[in-house]
Amino acid sequence: MKRYADLLADALQRVREIQPWDLRERLVGGPPPLVLDVREPAEFVGARIPGSINVPRGVLEQACEWDYDETVPALAGNRARPIVIVCRSGNRSVLAADVMQAMGFADVVSLRTGVRGWNDFEQPLVDGAGRAVDGDEAERLLAPRLRADQRRPPA
């Protein structure tokens, strides 16, 4: 049986990752890549990379294809466009990049450390209305929220 960590390790054999400073360089030099945020909508509204689009991981495959309720033309019609996939910490984005590569997307990478790392690198974040999000506020919004009942029971 594979666990989440196993799925990530397996996907990382096929997926390239970039660091926040690499993304910053890509955004300012030449045509920018599409920044695809695969977090849930409530996460995206709280703090996101300016210019990114939101397609939750749960509907990604449909968003990448024509003729579905979830179709996103910027994805379905651009399999050759450079895409940087982001999430909160860099895990969901690895799995999303792996799926998109399997679906024929030619230039897909995952942002290692995710939006949390982008914030740690002191790069700009905005909220759902496009207002700047303070780094400390973003850190609070992006912090893990593991409840006691989600922890492994004692052996």
Side-chain angles (χ1 to χ4, degrees), residues 75-154:
L75 293 175
N78 289 300
R79 284 185 168 8
R81 182 175 182 187
I83 299 172
V84 177
I85 305 176
V86 303
C87 64
R88 184 180 61 87
S89 65
N91 290 334
R92 286 176 280 181
S93 59
V94 167
L95 297 175
D98 194 36
V99 165
M100 288 182 72
Q101 286 177 168
M103 293 180 76
F105 286 82
D107 189 2
V108 177
V109 297
S110 173
L111 180 63
R112 179 179 284 173
T113 73
V115 178
R116 288 180 69 193
W118 181 257
N119 185 56
D120 290 345
F121 188 51
E122 299 181 352
Q123 295 303 298
L125 291 169
V126 295
D127 65 13
R131 295 180 300 257
V133 176
D134 174 77
D136 291 335
E137 174 65 8
E139 189 170 328
R140 185 189 66 74
L141 290 168
L142 298 167
R145 291 180 175 81
L146 199 60
R147 299 183 317 261
D149 67 319
Q150 293 173 312
R151 296 197 181 276
R152 181 184 304 271

Side-chain angles (χ1 to χ4, degrees), residues 34 36 53 55 60-68 70-81 83 100 103-105:
L34 175 66
L36 173 62
I53 67 167
V55 175
L60 179 63
E61 292 83 354
Q62 289 182 25
C64 290
E65 296 286 341
W66 293 111
D67 301 321
Y68 289 94
E70 303 296 339
T71 297
V72 175
L75 293 175
N78 289 300
R79 284 185 168 8
R81 182 175 182 187
I83 299 172
M100 288 182 72
M103 293 180 76
F105 286 82

